[in-house]
Amino acid sequence: MQSRCGNDLLTQYCRKWENFRFSAKVVHGFCIYLNEHFLRRKSEFREQEIYPVYGVCLKEWRDGAVAAVQDQVLRAVAEVITADRNGDITSSFMVRTVVDCLVDLGLTLDFSAQGGTPSPHNAKKKEKDPNQGLQVYQKYLEAPFLADTRVYYDNESRVFLANNSVANYVVKVQSRLKEEEDRCMKYLHASTCNKLIKTVEDVMITQQMVRLRAEFMIYLAGEKVEDLKAMYALISRVPQCMDELYNAVQTHIRQKGLEALAKNPTAMTEDPRLYLDAILEVYDQCDPLITESFRGEKEFRTAFDKGFHEFVNDNAITQLAKTSKKSSEQFARYSDVMLKKGAKNLSELDLENTLTRFMIAFKYIDDKDVFQRYYQQCLCRRLISSLSASDDAEASMITKLKAVAGWEYVLKLQRMFQDITLSTEMNNSFKSHDPSRRNDWKFEFHVQVLASGAWPLNPGSMGLQPPVELERPLTVFNEFYTNKFSGRKLTWVYPNSRCEIATNCYKVKHFFMASATQAAIILQFNDRDIITYGEIRDAISGNMSLSDESLFKQILVLLLKPHLLMINDENEKVDEKDITNNNLEIKLNLNFESKTVPVNLNQQIRAEQKQNEDTANKGIDDDRTWAIQAAIMRTMKKWKNMRHRKLIRKTLKKLPRFRPDDAAVEKNIEKLIELEYIKRSGKERDLYKYVPGIAESKPVQAHLGYIRF
């Protein structure tokens, strides 16, 4: 055979191997008694291994025939495989025969010819080494084959990329990988398959990652779903190359969101609908990349969520407001617009779909406690003024918030709805309580009794004296409520009241919607057409501070601007600076006209807006302080002793509704040390210790009340 080469050599080698193998099995059959009895007993008393007859025959073939033509046979096998890769017609039978020969030559060290039962003295060795018996195949064929494969595909990759696009290269690699898998099935041993595929992946993917990554970035920027899908299917075969793709997707999502919100930040600040629409548009554009291109893979979804979270909480709008809380405020304002009457005149189904989409973006905001505070204020205005577009939509919104943020998050919101229901029942009871006493006033009188702990209401410091017309019904209701609920006290919140006033002094009858303060001002003109500013102010409140008087002037201006009241001429524009002294005369405009019915005079003023914002911000800061302290104490009570950095880390994990910085946690640790809830170790300043006696006897105020540790 040494004089032959190529296919002739393989043909001759395969024929001789088949003949030799048949003859060896025949001889083995003649010597079966020798194999099963004599040789087995002899092997128990000798250190060297004793092979069965079939094994001795194959050992002679390995040391003789294989050693003599080893290089020529392997070269011929390599030529057949290369021709197969180049698309030429080849005979896989000869390669398969050579592979089976080399595998059998290794297995004879431990296996007999009849069925492959391990020799008893070598059984433990086989268990320890799964490659036992494949050494000949791996040494003579597998190792050179994998080396040739690396060289072949390295050359092909460089040549193909030099003359074709990366998109075509991706298709080419997928095709080659499929071919190599089929090749393993046709004529290679099963143990080679994983090694072969990993070799091809290393050469054609890992070593070309610079080009592939650059093309991936181009596809990602253009959001080419199908191209990204093919690229992902290829690169995902090499897990160690995926981290850079995850980071690229995260950066792309964040940058796309920042660009969308930077187009018109001023308009988006004024109109929260523009802000949320821009965010949801980014979501709609980018979500198919994850679900279609990357098959919804968990790591890509995580990268998507991180990028979305980053731009939602830090963008042009928050930078313009100089606070990250602005995003949560915009979310609350958007929900208020959607749930308020006359917003878009949406149907029940459309409104439900809008709220569902809103919740998609809601889960990405950090300061959920800020959203809760502003949403509570907006809900308060809607419920008190009966401005909700749909009670079902309001309930659905609370259910959705509960699903995302937990039942504690919506506890106060649910209590607010409960108070409105109970107030309706109480008013019905009040009407039927003593009908004769209700004849003392000739107008509808409706009271909403609201729990002070659940509603963000401020009774104000102005000390409003209600109009004479309201004194009697207020007194009667106070008596009714005191008799019905002993021990409870009513505090009238006049700034949030509403009055409907009918007029009889104009050619056309008008109806004014006003606050209690505005009603008290207007009703003073029942007896006179001209009243001085000082008289109006004193009738409203006998003792006003400077800040209260400034607020009162702004309320008065709301009646002067539509020219319901006048200072001089009805066409004159006025503001609070024009109200200069107590003797300034203010007169009723008997020529007042308005096309709107009713005329809404109850507009929110700058002072009230600022007061509400200050109250909300203070409430948020207080809630956060209590929540941080409660988280610290829960941690310390569980662990008793803890290092400074570890305490901060575990505290932050217990605060899902907002993300304070380390300085805020450190400040509250110092506060708790001052209160003697915890203390520092004497020798180690960064080690804190729980003080059980003090901590368990004192309650720490938390964001939902008082929690005793």
Side-chain angles (χ1 to χ4, degrees):
M1 291 190 294
Q2 293 180 352
S3 61
R4 299 176 181 272
C5 62
N7 286 335
D8 287 344
L9 173 62
L10 288 179
T11 303
Q12 187 72 9
Y13 182 88
C14 292
R15 184 166 57 249
K16 288 184 176 296
W17 160 249
E18 292 293 339
N19 292 337
F20 179 85
R21 185 184 184 190
F22 175 79
S23 301
K25 288 185 176 183
V26 172
V27 174
H28 183 85
F30 291 153
C31 304
I32 191 168
Y33 180 83
L34 179 68
N35 289 329
E36 293 185 358
H37 299 282
F38 180 75
L39 292 180
R40 180 175 298 176
R41 289 198 303 272
K42 289 291 184 181
S43 66
E44 294 176 358
F45 300 101
R46 297 186 182 184
E47 295 182 0
Q48 70 271 25
E49 296 177 342
I50 298 177
Y51 302 110
V53 173
Y54 181 74
V56 173
C57 295
L58 293 187
K59 188 174 183 299
E60 290 300 319
W61 174 272
R62 182 186 66 186
D63 296 339
V66 173
V69 294
Q70 168 187 331
D71 294 339
Q72 296 98 311
V73 171
L74 294 178
R75 191 180 306 114
V77 170
E79 289 174 357
V80 172
I81 295 175
T82 300
D84 187 21
R85 285 171 171 164
N86 291 334
D88 298 337
I89 299 175
T90 59
S91 174
S92 61
F93 171 76
M94 293 185 293
V95 178
R96 184 71 200 186
T97 301
V98 173
V99 169
D100 291 342
C101 172
L102 295 177
V103 171
D104 281 352
L105 291 177
L107 291 176
T108 53
L109 293 174
D110 298 288
F111 293 83
S112 67
Q114 275 90 12
T117 303
S119 301
H121 61 285
N122 285 329
K124 292 185 179 180
K125 184 189 293 184
K126 179 63 182 176
E127 291 176 4
K128 292 181 180 179
D129 186 1
N131 291 321
Q132 184 71 36
L134 296 176
Q135 292 91 337
V136 176
Y137 166 74
Q138 292 172 346
K139 176 181 178 182
Y140 289 108
L141 192 145
E142 184 182 80
F145 167 71
L146 293 177
D148 291 344
T149 298
R150 184 173 293 276
V151 174
Y152 180 87
Y153 283 117
D154 182 61
N155 293 331
E156 182 177 83
S157 297
R158 287 187 286 103
V159 173
F160 192 90
L161 281 173
N163 298 284
N164 296 274
S165 66
V166 175
N168 291 335
Y169 178 75
V170 170
V171 176
K172 179 72 173 178
V173 175
Q174 294 283 22
S175 174
R176 282 302 196 185
L177 288 168
K178 183 65 171 62
E179 291 174 7
E180 294 301 329
E181 290 175 355
D182 294 340
R183 195 163 287 119
C184 286
M185 297 292 294
K186 285 195 299 182
Y187 49 70
L188 294 174
H189 191 267
S191 64
T192 305
C193 188
N194 287 337
K195 300 175 185 177
L196 175 59
I197 297 302
K198 288 185 180 299
T199 299
V200 178
E201 289 173 347
D202 180 61
V203 175
M204 303 194 78
I205 301 176
T206 305
Q207 294 183 13
Q208 303 299 330
M209 270 305 296
V210 175
R211 289 286 303 275
L212 293 175
R213 192 182 305 114
E215 195 71 12
F216 179 87
M217 298 302 295
I218 295 174
Y219 293 161
L220 188 60
E223 296 182 353
K224 299 179 179 180
V225 175
E226 292 302 322
D227 290 334
L228 285 170
K229 185 176 182 179
M231 183 73 77
Y232 163 71
L234 181 65
I235 300 179
S236 62
R237 303 177 71 103
V238 188
Q240 62 267 27
C241 297
M242 293 298 293
D243 287 343
E244 296 184 13
L245 303 191
Y246 301 146
N247 294 334
V249 169
Q250 179 179 341
T251 302
H252 171 75
I253 299 298
R254 180 176 62 84
Q255 192 60 35
K256 186 176 181 67
L258 291 175
E259 291 174 358
L261 297 180
K263 291 180 180 179
N264 196 348
T266 303
M268 291 182 185
T269 300
E270 296 174 354
D271 188 351
R273 288 174 296 184
L274 298 177
Y275 182 66
L276 264 295
D277 288 346
I279 291 175
L280 292 172
E281 183 178 357
V282 174
Y283 184 91
D284 293 338
Q285 292 174 355
C286 297
D287 187 62
L289 295 179
I290 308 302
T291 56
E292 298 179 22
S293 298
F294 307 128
R295 303 173 187 173
E297 184 186 326
K298 180 180 177 181
E299 286 75 10
F300 276 110
R301 176 59 65 182
T302 300
F304 176 90
D305 290 342
K306 287 181 178 179
F308 218 85
H309 169 269
E310 288 175 359
F311 86 79
V312 165
N313 293 283
D314 185 9
N315 50 58
I317 285 79
T318 60
Q319 292 168 8
L320 187 65
K322 298 180 180 180
T323 174
S324 61
K325 298 177 183 177
K326 187 63 179 179
S327 187
S328 298
E329 180 187 345
Q330 292 294 92
F331 273 67
R333 291 176 58 200
Y334 175 85
S335 63
D336 183 50
V337 171
M338 291 297 102
L339 293 169
K340 189 181 295 184
K341 285 181 180 178
K344 281 188 174 181
N345 295 320
L346 298 176
S347 65
E348 289 284 345
L349 180 60
D350 291 339
L351 183 55
E352 178 66 19
N353 292 335
T354 299
L355 297 180
T356 301
R357 282 177 52 78
F358 169 82
M359 295 306 299
I360 293 174
F362 171 77
K363 67 181 181 181
Y364 293 107
I365 60 175
D366 272 344
D367 301 318
K368 290 184 172 60
D369 58 332
V370 177
F371 172 87
Q372 181 192 35
R373 179 69 65 165
Y374 281 102
Y375 183 86
Q376 187 181 15
Q377 289 184 346
C378 295
L379 177 61
C380 173
R381 288 194 293 268
R382 292 198 301 273
L383 294 181
I384 289 178
S385 303
S386 301
L387 294 177
S388 292
S390 167
D391 289 342
D392 291 339
E394 294 281 6
S396 175
M397 183 66 176
I398 291 179
T399 302
K400 295 179 189 299
L401 291 173
K402 181 179 179 180
V404 174
W407 67 272
E408 292 181 353
Y409 193 77
V410 299
L411 201 59
K412 291 184 178 180
L413 306 181
Q414 291 176 328
R415 179 59 190 273
M416 292 166 70
F417 273 98
Q418 182 181 354
D419 286 348
I420 293 297
T421 302
L422 293 176
S423 293
T424 302
E425 296 175 359
M426 188 175 299
N427 276 277
N428 293 333
S429 177
F430 175 63
K431 290 178 181 179
S432 60
H433 172 62
D434 190 355
S436 62
R437 300 188 67 181
R438 296 188 66 255
N439 294 328
D440 296 344
W441 57 89
K442 305 298 182 182
F443 51 84
E444 288 292 328
F445 179 72
H446 183 83
V447 178
Q448 291 176 329
V449 181
L450 313 174
S452 58
W455 293 76
L457 298 174
N458 183 9
S461 60
M462 190 183 298
L464 174 68
Q465 297 293 329
V468 176
E469 291 82 353
L470 287 177
E471 289 181 356
R472 182 59 180 166
L474 290 176
T475 302
V476 173
F477 187 86
N478 264 318
E479 294 174 357
F480 162 77
Y481 187 82
T482 303
N483 293 331
K484 189 176 181 65
F485 303 101
S486 61
R488 296 188 184 181
K489 180 183 178 182
L490 288 177
T491 301
W492 296 97
V493 186
Y494 295 117
N496 295 92
S497 62
R498 290 187 306 149
C499 299
E500 183 175 344
I501 303 174
T503 65
N504 296 310
C505 57
Y506 304 115
K507 297 178 181 178
V508 178
K509 190 170 186 176
H510 293 291
F511 294 89
F512 298 141
M513 299 300 299
S515 67
T517 306
Q518 291 172 328
I521 295 173
I522 296 172
L523 291 176
Q524 292 184 51
F525 289 88
N526 269 335
D527 302 324
R528 292 183 291 172
D529 294 341
I530 300 176
I531 310 176
T532 64
Y533 167 73
E535 291 173 329
I536 296 175
R537 182 199 60 195
D538 293 340
I540 296 297
S541 177
N543 185 17
M544 277 191 192
S545 64
L546 291 177
S547 60
D548 289 339
E549 186 165 4
S550 175
L551 174 62
F552 176 72
K553 288 181 179 180
Q554 293 182 46
I555 295 173
L556 182 58
V557 167
L558 291 178
L559 303 177
L560 292 169
K561 283 186 175 180
H563 308 298
L564 174 62
L565 303 179
M566 298 185 302
I567 295 178
N568 295 313
D569 187 82
E570 64 177 293
N571 297 321
E572 183 181 9
K573 294 182 178 180
V574 295
D575 57 28
E576 58 185 288
K577 295 179 181 178
D578 296 322
I579 306 174
T580 55
N581 58 74
N582 294 336
N583 296 322
L584 179 68
E585 291 185 345
I586 299 175
K587 57 184 177 181
L588 179 67
N589 181 14
L590 297 176
N591 296 320
F592 173 80
E593 293 181 355
S594 177
K595 296 180 180 179
T596 60
V597 179
V599 181
N600 185 15
L601 302 174
N602 192 13
Q603 304 293 329
Q604 195 171 27
I605 58 179
R606 295 190 307 274
E608 288 179 339
Q609 290 176 343
K610 187 176 185 307
Q611 186 180 35
N612 289 339
E613 291 177 1
D614 292 343
T615 302
N617 290 330
K618 185 179 184 305
I620 291 168
D621 293 339
D622 291 343
D623 286 351
R624 288 188 171 186
T625 297
W626 301 332
I628 293 172
Q629 292 180 6
I632 294 171
M633 290 304 298
R634 288 192 186 101
T635 304
M636 289 301 299
K637 184 175 183 180
K638 178 179 180 181
W639 297 94
K640 308 304 180 185
N641 301 305
M642 189 166 290
R643 298 283 179 183
H644 179 76
R645 291 306 310 170
K646 187 177 181 180
L647 177 57
I648 291 178
R649 186 168 62 252
K650 286 189 172 294
T651 299
L652 293 176
K653 289 182 179 179
K654 293 181 180 292
L655 300 169
R657 297 183 189 173
F658 64 97
R659 295 189 178 184
D661 53 19
D662 291 358
V665 180
E666 291 173 352
K667 180 180 178 181
N668 283 281
I669 290 175
E670 295 297 330
K671 181 66 175 177
L672 291 172
I673 291 175
E674 292 178 9
L675 296 173
E676 299 180 348
Y677 288 103
I678 59 177
K679 66 179 181 179
R680 283 192 173 91
S681 174
K683 296 180 180 179
E684 300 176 86
R685 300 294 294 172
D686 68 331
L687 179 63
Y688 301 109
K689 293 186 176 182
Y690 178 69
V691 183
I694 300 294
E696 292 172 4
S697 62
K698 293 182 180 180
V700 173
Q701 193 169 4
H703 61 294
L704 289 175
Y706 286 88
I707 298 180
R708 187 176 295 277
F709 297 96

